[in-house]
PDB file of all heavy atoms in Angstrom:
ATOM      1  N   LEU N  13      84.949 -99.725  76.426  1.00  0.00           N
ATOM      2  CA  LEU N  13      83.928 -99.301  77.372  1.00  0.00           C
ATOM      3  C   LEU N  13      82.593 -99.070  76.671  1.00  0.00           C
ATOM      4  O   LEU N  13      81.550 -99.526  77.136  1.00  0.00           O
ATOM      5  CB  LEU N  13      84.390 -98.028  78.070  1.00  0.00           C
ATOM      6  CG  LEU N  13      83.653 -97.602  79.309  1.00  0.00           C
ATOM      7  CD1 LEU N  13      83.774 -98.645  80.394  1.00  0.00           C
ATOM      8  CD2 LEU N  13      84.193 -96.276  79.805  1.00  0.00           C
ATOM      9  N   TYR N  37      81.890-101.309  85.207  1.00  0.00           N
ATOM     10  CA  TYR N  37      80.975-102.219  84.521  1.00  0.00           C
ATOM     11  C   TYR N  37      79.985-101.399  83.700  1.00  0.00           C
ATOM     12  O   TYR N  37      79.142-100.697  84.264  1.00  0.00           O
ATOM     13  CB  TYR N  37      80.186-103.057  85.537  1.00  0.00           C
ATOM     14  CG  TYR N  37      80.992-104.087  86.271  1.00  0.00           C
ATOM     15  CD1 TYR N  37      81.648-103.779  87.457  1.00  0.00           C
ATOM     16  CD2 TYR N  37      81.080-105.382  85.784  1.00  0.00           C
ATOM     17  CE1 TYR N  37      82.379-104.736  88.143  1.00  0.00           C
ATOM     18  CE2 TYR N  37      81.812-106.351  86.467  1.00  0.00           C
ATOM     19  CZ  TYR N  37      82.455-106.019  87.641  1.00  0.00           C
ATOM     20  OH  TYR N  37      83.179-106.978  88.309  1.00  0.00           O
ATOM     21  N   PRO N  38      80.073-101.457  82.369  1.00  0.00           N
ATOM     22  CA  PRO N  38      79.110-100.733  81.535  1.00  0.00           C
ATOM     23  C   PRO N  38      77.713-101.343  81.673  1.00  0.00           C
ATOM     24  O   PRO N  38      77.559-102.559  81.775  1.00  0.00           O
ATOM     25  CB  PRO N  38      79.635-100.939  80.116  1.00  0.00           C
ATOM     26  CG  PRO N  38      81.075-101.295  80.290  1.00  0.00           C
ATOM     27  CD  PRO N  38      81.136-102.062  81.572  1.00  0.00           C
ATOM     28  N   GLY N  42      74.211 -96.467  78.391  1.00  0.00           N
ATOM     29  CA  GLY N  42      75.335 -95.564  78.606  1.00  0.00           C
ATOM     30  C   GLY N  42      75.666 -95.281  80.058  1.00  0.00           C
ATOM     31  O   GLY N  42      76.454 -94.390  80.341  1.00  0.00           O
ATOM     32  N   ALA N  43      75.084 -96.035  80.995  1.00  0.00           N
ATOM     33  CA  ALA N  43      75.388 -95.871  82.416  1.00  0.00           C
ATOM     34  C   ALA N  43      76.495 -96.851  82.822  1.00  0.00           C
ATOM     35  O   ALA N  43      76.845 -97.760  82.057  1.00  0.00           O
ATOM     36  CB  ALA N  43      74.139 -96.099  83.254  1.00  0.00           C
ATOM     37  N   PHE N  44      77.021 -96.671  84.036  1.00  0.00           N
ATOM     38  CA  PHE N  44      78.125 -97.500  84.510  1.00  0.00           C
ATOM     39  C   PHE N  44      78.008 -97.752  86.008  1.00  0.00           C
ATOM     40  O   PHE N  44      77.637 -96.843  86.758  1.00  0.00           O
ATOM     41  CB  PHE N  44      79.476 -96.802  84.264  1.00  0.00           C
ATOM     42  CG  PHE N  44      79.676 -96.374  82.851  1.00  0.00           C
ATOM     43  CD1 PHE N  44      79.299 -95.104  82.444  1.00  0.00           C
ATOM     44  CD2 PHE N  44      80.222 -97.236  81.922  1.00  0.00           C
ATOM     45  CE1 PHE N  44      79.475 -94.699  81.131  1.00  0.00           C
ATOM     46  CE2 PHE N  44      80.402 -96.848  80.609  1.00  0.00           C
ATOM     47  CZ  PHE N  44      80.022 -95.581  80.209  1.00  0.00           C
ATOM     48  N   ASN N  45      78.331 -98.949  86.423  1.00  0.00           N
ATOM     49  CA  ASN N  45      78.573 -99.241  87.832  1.00  0.00           C
ATOM     50  C   ASN N  45      80.064 -99.151  88.050  1.00  0.00           C
ATOM     51  O   ASN N  45      80.841 -99.703  87.264  1.00  0.00           O
ATOM     52  CB  ASN N  45      78.088-100.638  88.212  1.00  0.00           C
ATOM     53  CG  ASN N  45      76.610-100.682  88.507  1.00  0.00           C
ATOM     54  OD1 ASN N  45      75.994 -99.663  88.825  1.00  0.00           O
ATOM     55  ND2 ASN N  45      76.027-101.850  88.413  1.00  0.00           N
ATOM     56  N   GLN N  75      77.316 -95.197  90.918  1.00  0.00           N
ATOM     57  CA  GLN N  75      76.728 -95.401  89.603  1.00  0.00           C
ATOM     58  C   GLN N  75      76.818 -94.089  88.844  1.00  0.00           C
ATOM     59  O   GLN N  75      76.511 -93.027  89.383  1.00  0.00           O
ATOM     60  CB  GLN N  75      75.281 -95.866  89.686  1.00  0.00           C
ATOM     61  CG  GLN N  75      74.751 -96.293  88.333  1.00  0.00           C
ATOM     62  CD  GLN N  75      73.438 -97.033  88.440  1.00  0.00           C
ATOM     63  OE1 GLN N  75      72.626 -96.763  89.308  1.00  0.00           O
ATOM     64  NE2 GLN N  75      73.224 -97.957  87.530  1.00  0.00           N
ATOM     65  N   ALA N  76      77.305 -94.188  87.611  1.00  0.00           N
ATOM     66  CA  ALA N  76      77.429 -93.020  86.739  1.00  0.00           C
ATOM     67  C   ALA N  76      76.392 -93.126  85.636  1.00  0.00           C
ATOM     68  O   ALA N  76      76.260 -94.180  85.012  1.00  0.00           O
ATOM     69  CB  ALA N  76      78.832 -92.955  86.148  1.00  0.00           C
ATOM     70  N   ASP N  78      76.416 -91.339  82.891  1.00  0.00           N
ATOM     71  CA  ASP N  78      77.021 -91.096  81.582  1.00  0.00           C
ATOM     72  C   ASP N  78      78.539 -91.054  81.723  1.00  0.00           C
ATOM     73  O   ASP N  78      79.076 -91.181  82.823  1.00  0.00           O
ATOM     74  CB  ASP N  78      76.479 -89.799  80.956  1.00  0.00           C
ATOM     75  CG  ASP N  78      76.730 -88.559  81.813  1.00  0.00           C
ATOM     76  OD1 ASP N  78      77.746 -88.500  82.536  1.00  0.00           O
ATOM     77  OD2 ASP N  78      75.900 -87.632  81.756  1.00  0.00           O
ATOM     78  N   GLU N  79      79.221 -90.846  80.618  1.00  0.00           N
ATOM     79  CA  GLU N  79      80.687 -90.847  80.623  1.00  0.00           C
ATOM     80  C   GLU N  79      81.275 -89.697  81.422  1.00  0.00           C
ATOM     81  O   GLU N  79      82.321 -89.838  82.045  1.00  0.00           O
ATOM     82  CB  GLU N  79      81.213 -90.827  79.184  1.00  0.00           C
ATOM     83  CG  GLU N  79      80.929 -92.105  78.438  1.00  0.00           C
ATOM     84  CD  GLU N  79      81.375 -92.064  76.985  1.00  0.00           C
ATOM     85  OE1 GLU N  79      81.832 -90.997  76.514  1.00  0.00           O
ATOM     86  OE2 GLU N  79      81.272 -93.117  76.326  1.00  0.00           O
TER      87      GLU N  79
END
Side-chain angles (χ1 to χ4, degrees):
L13 194 62
Y37 290 89
F44 307 92
N45 277 338
Q75 189 168 33
D78 59 31
E79 292 177 355

